[in-house]
């Protein structure tokens, strides 16, 4: 369960995120969409505990991220668009590191399947320097999934992946949701959002402009009935106004 | 070249503006004022300038060339010069594919290094302002700049030579032959001089006499002739009067010009080689160049060496383990254990007393002390490197204080062992000299007490360095390596001052506690051995407590630190 309550993040006089709220129940996938600079990454970083909200609260798996950060983070996997890896640990050692941090007792049984799933089995003794961009992203995903998180936050999860990797990643996210994980993902790929997300949160200039299932959003905007998600997105964010 | 000038200028301007904006934050403003006050006290305060002995030019002409030669030798032998070629990742991404010749890129690198050289010149001018020289300030400044620039050119030349061989994937060392030949000839002549004066060196009575003899050996031919170019670089610095200075500048500038020619000539050969490679190799070349940013990466063969990690237990152990693997794979462990191994070998072979035994003890004491005070500043397998991955750290379910404790523990453990060996050997080998009144039991007591004392001292020192990085990420250079090279010492001095000052302040209370406990026990038992052990342990406990409190405070700051403050 992910619960965001009146989340606001300010940098000096600039308000990056302005009082947004949403809930993601186990098994739900929420797509966070919005134009560049809308506040998506800031929101995700607040959800992951990377930055602290100025006001408001974030609850992960029932734990308040500000009050009980360690318990809350134990339920979470955050997969950023730019993987952060340790230069001197091999692929397998990254997983062992994560296993110790999250207390994954049966790491020996999990490493093989995770590496197989993400096609990293033959790279288990490689250092990050020897991996391609896509493989680094897969390693970051493997690290995120190893401890079977209850809440999953993904920032542009398909960045750097090849078509096969993208398909498998979509399947992985769907499978995790079916297994009861609450998922929040941010992406500019609206087809991904349409395919995977049970709810959509449209953010513009730090504020919520639409929230709910695609059907609910369209229902509240009769003029958008019958339009594609791209048209809906452009209309809601005002992006389409200046289009030729 | 115009675009590169623009890049240098705008980057420098923006960096200065950004640093100035940081002063709006109270903690940076307070630290800035304290830093200014400290430097005023150090360099301009009447109490400091009146009573202090001036720095002798003779001393300068002995110490600086020795440091210079050692730096050059290490550059050649250990290959620790890749930072001289350090283009940043954006520079690699934008400049290397651009229609800019490699020669222009090297010129850009030279110009870029000038900012560091000029900054270091200012710092060294402050340090040398109490020297015995009667040269005008401008002449001394030019002389100092010349030394730094020549050294910088030399490092760049070595880096390009090595890169040229590396990028041709050639094992042919012919390219190195002329320069390597010169280096070997210098080493051979010094070895010959040392061998000739070996009896005088070994029979020298005391450290002062030994030092005088070493200098005499290095000044007389053939070592004196071999080291002449180095002396010529330093001659302007110690010239008396402008006329002598101008004359001394001629050969010094000639050496600099020769270095510039060498750098550009090496670069030309490198460019020719680059033109011959295929597109794939050109991509590899970019990769190699990208890797030149920072320290040498772990090689594939190194990944065989690892340390087991149990999946269950204190999560902070994962951080400690990760850092330990890093220490192992970057050969830091070899560097840390080399000197203790040599010293222990020397102690076993020459352990029967005499001047060689004293020399070994003195060397061990010097190396141990250097490692004690400067080790934590240079060994950066902790938050100083990991802050670059702050977003990842912040998502881990590890409280800030435990994370800091794990980071501090890595360096503490890695440094305590070699320090203990070096200083333990020193205590044992120097029995015939300055601490002659010590009995063997007292000596053993001192050595035993050293272990917890060094551990707690390292812990507090690493906690300070990590704390400085967390508190002032905009001022502390984050990354695996400190800024490289002799010419970058100015920046190093600036960043070290705060840490050393805080360390001295933190030492006061535990020292008082240790002395009190030791003194009280001596008064009760009249046993100096017991007093040493009790005093040492009490000091260790005091230091350890301070280190833990500091770790808690740094942990709290880390929990509040945001990636934007680090960027």
């Amino acid at each position: 369960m992910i619960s965001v309550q009146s989340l606001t993040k300010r940098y000096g006089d600039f308000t990056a995120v302005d009082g947004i709220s949403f809930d993601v129940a186990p098994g739900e996938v929420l797509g966070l969409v919005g134009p560049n600079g809308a506040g998506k990454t800031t929101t995700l970083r607040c959800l992951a505990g990377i930055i602290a909200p100025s006001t408001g609260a974030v609850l992960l798996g029932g734990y308040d991220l500000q009050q009980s950060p360690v318990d809350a983070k134990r339920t979470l996997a955050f997969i950023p668009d730019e993987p952060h890896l340790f230069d001197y640990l091999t692929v397998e050692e990254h997983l062992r590191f994560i296993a110790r941090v999250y207390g994954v007792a049966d790491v020996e049984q999990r490493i093989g399947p995770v590496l197989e799933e993400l096609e990293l089995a033959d790279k288990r003794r490689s250092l990050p320097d020897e991996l391609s961009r896509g493989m680094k992203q897969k390693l970051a995903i493997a690290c995120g999934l190893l401890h079977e998180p209850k809440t999953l936050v993904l920032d542009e999860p398909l960045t750097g992946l090849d078509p096969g990797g993208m398909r498998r990643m979509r399947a992985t996210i769907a499978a995790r949701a079916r297994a009861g994980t609450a998922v929040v993902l941010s992406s500019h790929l609206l087809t991904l959002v349409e395919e995977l997300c049970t709810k959509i949160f449209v953010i513009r200039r730090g504020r919520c402009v639409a929230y709910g299932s695609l059907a609910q959003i369209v229902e509240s905007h009769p003029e958008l009935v019958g339009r594609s998600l791209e048209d809906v997105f452009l209309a809601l964010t005002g992006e389409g106004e200046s289009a030729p | 070249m115009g675009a590169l000038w623009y890049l240098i200028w705008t980057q420098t301007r923006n960096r200065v503006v950004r640093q100035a904006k940081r002063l709006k934050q109270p903690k940076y403003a307070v630290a800035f004022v304290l830093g200014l006050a400290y430097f005023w006290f150090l360099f301009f305060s009447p109490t400091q300038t009146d009573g202090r002995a001036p720095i002798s030019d003779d001393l300068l002409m002995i110490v600086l060339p020795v440091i210079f030669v050692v730096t050059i030798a290490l550059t050649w032998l250990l290959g620790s010069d890749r930072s001289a070629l350090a283009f940043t990742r954006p520079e690699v991404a934008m400049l290397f594919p651009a229609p800019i010749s490699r020669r222009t890129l090297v010129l850009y690198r030279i110009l870029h290094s000038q900012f560091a050289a000029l900054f270091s010149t200012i710092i060294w001018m402050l340090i040398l302002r109490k020297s015995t020289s009667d040269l005008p300030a401008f002449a001394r400044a030019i002389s100092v700049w010349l030394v730094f620039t020549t050294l910088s050119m030399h490092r760049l030349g070595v880096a390009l030579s090595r890169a040229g061989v590396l990028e041709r994937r050639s094992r042919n060392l012919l390219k190195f032959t002329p320069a390597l030949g010169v280096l070997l000839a210098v080493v051979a002549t010094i070895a010959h001089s040392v061998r000739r004066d070996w009896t005088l060196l070994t029979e020298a009575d005391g450290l002062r006499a030994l030092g005088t003899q070493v200098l005499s050996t290095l000044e007389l031919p053939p070592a004196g002739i071999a080291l002449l170019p180095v002396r010529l670089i330093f001659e302007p610095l110690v010239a008396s009067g402008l006329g002598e200075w101008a004359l001394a500048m001629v050969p010094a500038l000639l050496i600099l010009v020769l270095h510039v020619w060498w750098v550009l000539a090496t670069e030309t050969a490198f460019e020719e080689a680059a033109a011959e490679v295929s597109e794939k190799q050109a991509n590899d070349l970019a990769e190699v160049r990208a890797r030149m940013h920072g320290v040498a990466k772990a090689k594939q063969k190194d990944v065989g060496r690892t340390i087991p990690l149990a999946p269950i237990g204190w999560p902070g152990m994962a951080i400690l383990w990760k850092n330990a693997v890093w220490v192992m794979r970057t050969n830091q462990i070899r560097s840390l254990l080399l000197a203790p191994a040599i010293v222990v070998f020397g102690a076993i072979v020459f352990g029967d007393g005499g001047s060689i035994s004293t020399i070994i003890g003195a060397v061990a004491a010097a190396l141990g002390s250097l490692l004690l005070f400067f080790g934590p500043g240079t060994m950066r397998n902790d938050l100083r490197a990991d802050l670059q991955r702050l977003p990842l750290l912040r998502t881990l379910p590890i409280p800030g204080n435990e994370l800091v404790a794990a980071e501090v523990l890595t360096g503490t453990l890695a440094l305590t062992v070699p320090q203990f060996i070096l200083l333990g050997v020193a205590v044992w080998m120097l029995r015939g000299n300055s601490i002659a009144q010590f009995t063997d039991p007292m000596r053993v007591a001192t050595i035993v007490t050293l272990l917890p004392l060094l551990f707690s001292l390292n812990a507090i020192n690493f906690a300070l360095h990590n704390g400085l990085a967390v508190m002032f990420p905009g001022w502390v250079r984050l990354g695996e390596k400190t800024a490289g090279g002799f010419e970058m010492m100015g920046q190093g001095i600036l960043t070290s001052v705060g840490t050393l000052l805080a360390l001295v302040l933190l030492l006061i209370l535990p020292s008082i506690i240790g002395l009190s406990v030791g003194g009280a026990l001596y008064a009760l038992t009249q046993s100096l051995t017991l007093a040493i052990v009790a005093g040492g342990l009490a000091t260790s406990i005091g230091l350890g407590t301070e280190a833990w409190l500091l770790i808690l405070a740094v942990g709290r700051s880390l929990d509040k630190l945001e990636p934007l403050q680090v960027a």
Side-chain angles (χ1 to χ4, degrees), chain A residues 9 45 49-52 70 73 84-89 93 97 99-104 125 127 129-130, chain B residues 291 295 297-298 300 303 306 310-314 317-318 322 326 329-330 389 391-392 394 396-397 480 562-563:
Chain A
K9 180 64 186 175
R45 286 184 154 213
I50 296 170
I51 53 178
V70 173
K73 286 176 184 177
H84 295 280
L85 302 169
F86 296 109
D87 293 346
Y88 300 102
L89 295 187
E93 285 167 345
F97 171 81
R100 176 66 180 234
V101 170
Y102 289 87
V104 182
R125 287 167 61 79
L127 294 165
D129 258 6
E130 297 156 359
Chain B
R291 288 180 189 185
V295 293
K297 302 289 183 191
Q300 178 61 42
V303 301
T306 191
I312 298 293
W314 179 49
M317 182 57 76
K322 181 251 316 167
W326 178 3
R329 291 198 174 142
T330 49
R389 301 177 191 88
L392 170 64
R394 293 301 301 269
L396 299 177
E480 297 162 5
E562 298 204 350

Side-chain angles (χ1 to χ4, degrees), chain A residues 22-23 25 40 68 74 89 101 104 116 133-134 163 183 192 202 211 229 236 240:
Chain A
F22 58 79
D23 293 306
K40 299 187 298 296
S68 313
R74 223 173 255 139
L89 295 187
V101 170
V104 182
E116 287 291 340
R133 169 75 176 75
V183 182
L192 172 75
V202 185
Y211 171 47
L229 178 60
L236 290 172

Side-chain angles (χ1 to χ4, degrees), chain B residues 206-501:
Chain B
L207 289 177
R208 185 177 291 275
L210 179 67
T212 311
Q213 184 54 49
V214 167
L215 295 175
S216 165
T217 300
L218 293 179
E219 274 178 6
L220 291 172
I225 294 172
L227 293 173
L228 183 64
V230 179
R231 289 187 69 84
L232 287 176
I233 295 167
F234 284 89
E235 283 295 345
L237 196 57
V238 290
S240 53
L242 272 178
E244 194 178 308
W245 175 77
L247 277 178
M249 280 296 286
V250 175
L253 278 171
L254 188 65
I255 291 170
L256 176 61
V257 169
L258 280 173
H259 269 88
V260 173
W261 172 81
W262 174 44
V263 164
L264 294 178
T266 310
E267 191 274 326
T268 304
F270 160 73
E271 192 176 5
E272 286 166 5
E276 291 170 7
V277 295
S278 66
E279 187 180 349
K280 181 183 176 303
Q281 282 171 316
N283 290 335
D284 291 346
L285 183 74
E287 182 69 16
V288 169
R289 285 179 180 282
R291 288 180 189 185
M292 285 172 185
H293 178 71
V295 293
K297 302 289 183 191
K299 295 171 186 167
Q300 178 61 42
K301 65 184 168 96
D302 295 332
V303 301
R305 292 183 288 172
T306 191
I307 305 166
L309 176 70
I312 298 293
W314 179 49
M317 182 57 76
I319 301 286
L320 186 59
W321 171 81
K322 181 251 316 167
N323 291 344
V325 169
W326 178 3
V327 170
M328 207 167 62
R329 291 198 174 142
T330 49
N331 288 325
Q332 288 182 62
I333 199 84
R334 189 181 61 185
S335 311
L336 285 171
L337 293 178
L338 184 64
I342 292 170
V343 163
V344 167
F345 176 76
I348 291 168
V349 175
F350 301 102
D352 58 342
S355 64
I356 294 290
S357 175
T358 306
I359 292 168
I360 292 169
V363 168
L367 289 175
S369 306
L370 280 174
L371 208 55
L372 182 62
F373 288 102
F374 297 109
T378 51
M379 190 175 178
R380 304 165 68 86
N381 309 52
D382 48 34
L383 279 174
R384 283 168 286 178
D386 277 348
L387 277 184
Q388 292 179 316
R389 301 177 191 88
L390 184 62
L392 170 64
L393 294 184
R394 293 301 301 269
T395 60
L396 299 177
I398 305 177
N401 56 357
E402 290 184 28
L403 208 145
V404 174
E407 299 273 20
V408 165
L409 210 51
T410 311
T412 301
L413 289 172
L415 280 188
T416 299
V417 174
Q419 287 166 358
F420 176 66
I421 294 170
L422 287 167
L423 294 175
V425 167
V427 169
W428 195 253
M429 299 298 277
L430 290 174
R431 59 189 161 191
N433 284 277
S434 55
I435 47 177
Q437 70 276 24
F438 268 29
T439 61
D440 281 353
M442 288 176 201
R443 227 174 286 279
V444 171
T446 308
I447 292 172
V448 168
T449 314
L450 266 179
L451 196 59
L453 203 57
L454 289 172
F455 182 86
S456 51
L457 203 55
N458 281 322
I460 205 162
N461 209 345
F462 272 103
L464 273 172
H465 278 282
N466 280 271
L468 206 62
V470 172
M471 287 290 290
F472 303 104
W475 282 357
V476 175
R477 187 177 184 276
L478 300 176
E480 297 162 5
K481 275 191 87 176
T482 49
F486 189 26
E487 72 279 9
M488 294 296 287
M489 280 174 73
Q491 186 184 347
I493 289 169
L494 272 181
T495 50
S496 298
V497 161
T499 320
L500 281 173
L501 198 63

Side-chain angles (χ1 to χ4, degrees), chain B residues 76 81-82 85 154-168 172-173 175-177 179-180 262-263 265-267 269-270:
Chain B
W76 278 101
D81 54 303
R82 294 273 175 92
L85 269 179
H154 194 88
R155 292 176 67 237
L156 192 56
V158 176
L160 284 166
S161 296
R162 295 176 67 90
V165 173
L166 175 73
E167 287 166 12
R168 271 191 295 282
N172 185 359
L173 290 176
K175 199 72 194 167
F176 274 126
T177 304
L180 209 57
W262 174 44
V263 164
T266 310
E267 191 274 326
F270 160 73

